[in-house]
Amino acid sequence: MDEAAAKKVIVETLQGKKGKSKFYLKDFYAMVPDGKPREVKNLVNKMVEEGILEYWSSGSTTLIGLKGVGKQAGAEHED
Amino acid sequence: MAKHETPLLDELESGPWPSFVSDVKREAQFRKENPRNINFQIPADAPDDLLGVLELSYKHGRTHWKHGGIVGVFGYGGGVIGRYCDQPEMFPGVAHFHTMRVNQPGGKFYTTEYLRQLCDIWQMRGSGLTNMHGSTGDIILLGTQTDQLEEIFYELSHNMNQDLGGSGSNLRTPSDCVGQARCEYACYDTQALCFQLTQDYQDELHRPAFPYKFKFKFDGCPNCCVASIARSDMSFIGTWRDDIRIDQKAVAGYVGGEFKPNAGAHSGRDWGKFNIVAEVVDRCPTKCMRFEGGKLEINNKECTRCMHCINVMPRALRIGEDRGLSILVGAKAPIVDGAQMSSLLVPFLPVEEPYDELKAVIEAVWDWWMEEGKNRERLGELIKRQGFQKLLEATNIAPSPVHVKEPRSNPYIFWKAEEVEGGFDRDITEFRKHHLR
């Protein structure tokens, strides 16, 4: 799968998820099954840099979701 | 007069020990008086409101902080931890109270100018409250607001040449002891290695890469001043392969009272005359020492590098000359599965730039953990779940007796059929000739 196709799959998979808006990095490995963990990690981080995805961190763990999606994004942008 | 009544917190000041409540109150008072006319960029009463929200939590028996956040600085996926109060109207000063982690200087060497600059930034753009080198080791700046994050990062990086540290599922801020800069026990240059790996693994440090947190810590000797063996997923502990160097004249000096044991560290009371047999020889965990006829002997093959004898008689005993480090893996504080110490993976590696051999081990461990680790599973938990043998296979390290902590109780290593001559199948007819059914 080339980079553009992998990005498309990731975005479409996330858009299709009901209920949850944030995912572990490992969940992204399953979305791009032919990519090595390190390649998928690099792609996900690139998509954050491009503003497609965003990180959410509890301090100990990091989750990743579509930018602006989810309760926290709304709450944090209230002001 | 304090902004909030805090009778429960005040109790924490009543003991003989220093209290963080007193520290926060002092900062609250400083910000109220503002004798240096600081142009506070977040509410001046943030420390007051912090005391207020903590008092309320004590009263209710539950937290009033919300969990986590999406805030950060551009390009980084770590170093900033979002914190929000769920009572923002009652405590507006801490409505946003984000934490920033700063990558501490190697060996925690600062100049006073550095500390002053750091505190000036934080008093102006944050709450003024810090947590210096707690269990995580780095510098933690407690409490600022979202619009100050980029400003603080700019000032840290441009004016102080200072980077943020790691948080979340990243490589955490690597931490090292003072090493050869000040310590004669250091078996390698901890600061050089810590610095180089920090540079080489910038991506892992600043952007999430793993199933969970990952910590490197660098101890120059087995005294483990940064407690790498207890706190890091990968501990780099200095060691030596040859013999402890003995200066028999200095041994006699300790026995005769010329030198104070432990360099005088325990001089608060009179311990009586130094007794080398009771205080050194008999305390050796492997019983590898002997003191006879005024001469100290060490059976170095049995030495486990506990450092006790060297610590007691530093003038007489010195680390060997063939030095390097051991790599241990899998320590963690209690998370899913309780506290765990590191297990020995590589008994000895010479420490030579550009550290390729060492980095090959690190990257093989990471590849295995990234592939096999479950979400929020530390390396030590994966080793426990899949077995140490799997880690040896992943890192291509041959099993050896040093990998066995306690023979027969946790050998870790099991033979496979292909490793045994003839496999596990046997000729039952031949067996029955000698063993009746």
Side-chain angles (χ1 to χ4, degrees), chain B residues 149-265:
Chain B
L149 295 171
E150 289 288 358
E151 309 275 351
I152 294 163
F153 182 51
Y154 183 92
E155 289 192 23
L156 285 174
S157 52
H158 289 72
N159 303 340
M160 295 182 65
N161 198 21
Q162 175 61 62
D163 201 358
L164 292 185
S167 66
S169 304
N170 298 25
L171 171 65
R172 298 304 182 81
T173 319
S175 174
D176 59 349
C177 69
V178 291
Q180 291 173 337
R182 290 195 65 174
C183 182
E184 63 202 72
Y185 301 157
C187 299
Y188 69 96
D189 188 345
T190 50
Q191 293 188 54
L193 182 58
C194 183
F195 175 80
Q196 195 54 50
L197 294 188
T198 303
Q199 296 300 320
D200 292 349
Y201 295 126
Q202 282 283 297
D203 195 40
E204 285 77 3
L205 179 61
H206 295 312
R207 282 161 283 279
F210 305 122
Y212 203 19
K213 62 179 80 163
F214 192 92
K215 299 178 183 177
F216 280 150
K217 292 190 194 295
F218 305 89
D219 274 307
C221 81
N223 274 331
C224 253
C225 290
V226 289
S228 66
I229 199 167
R231 305 195 305 185
S232 60
D233 299 271
M234 212 162 198
S235 335
F236 300 88
I237 303 177
T239 189
W240 61 93
R241 275 193 294 200
D242 53 351
D243 296 348
I244 293 174
R245 288 173 289 162
I246 307 177
D247 177 346
Q248 297 291 356
K249 258 192 181 170
V251 172
Y254 279 103
V255 173
E258 186 187 340
F259 306 127
K260 287 181 180 167
N262 288 93

Side-chain angles (χ1 to χ4, degrees), chain B residues 321-337:
Chain B
E321 288 183 303
D322 184 8
R323 298 168 202 157
L325 58 74
S326 301
I327 302 178
L328 292 87
V329 286
K332 65 189 188 67
I335 301 178
V336 181
D337 209 25

Side-chain angles (χ1 to χ4, degrees), chain B residues 82-156:
Chain B
R83 288 282 179 263
Y84 299 88
C85 175
D86 71 3
Q87 291 292 349
E89 286 175 16
M90 228 187 285
F91 307 109
V94 292
H96 298 204
F97 203 70
H98 309 319
T99 295
M100 296 187 87
R101 290 208 173 141
V102 179
N103 191 334
Q104 78 281 0
K108 304 186 184 75
F109 271 110
Y110 327 95
T111 58
T112 48
E113 190 196 352
Y114 171 91
L115 279 174
R116 212 166 277 130
Q117 272 181 295
L118 189 73
C119 292
D120 284 348
I121 293 174
W122 194 239
Q123 269 185 320
M124 181 179 164
R125 301 194 178 279
S127 70
L129 302 170
T130 67
N131 172 10
M132 304 297 280
H133 319 302
S135 59
T136 193
D138 48 16
I139 296 170
I140 299 187
L141 304 178
L142 294 162
T144 191
Q145 299 194 336
T146 307
D147 56 3
Q148 290 303 312
L149 295 171
E150 289 288 358
E151 309 275 351
I152 294 163
F153 182 51
Y154 183 92
E155 289 192 23
L156 285 174

Side-chain angles (χ1 to χ4, degrees), chain B residues 2 4-14 17-29 47-48 50-52 54-55 58 129:
Chain B
H4 304 282
E5 290 290 310
T6 55
L8 296 173
L9 291 184
D10 295 346
E11 283 296 309
L12 295 177
E13 296 181 280
S14 61
W17 45 83
S19 168
F20 73 94
V21 174
S22 307
D23 290 345
V24 179
K25 283 182 178 173
R26 200 167 64 177
E27 184 62 18
Q29 191 59 31
D48 270 314
L50 179 68
L51 290 168
L54 188 57
E55 178 76 15
Y58 274 40
L129 302 170

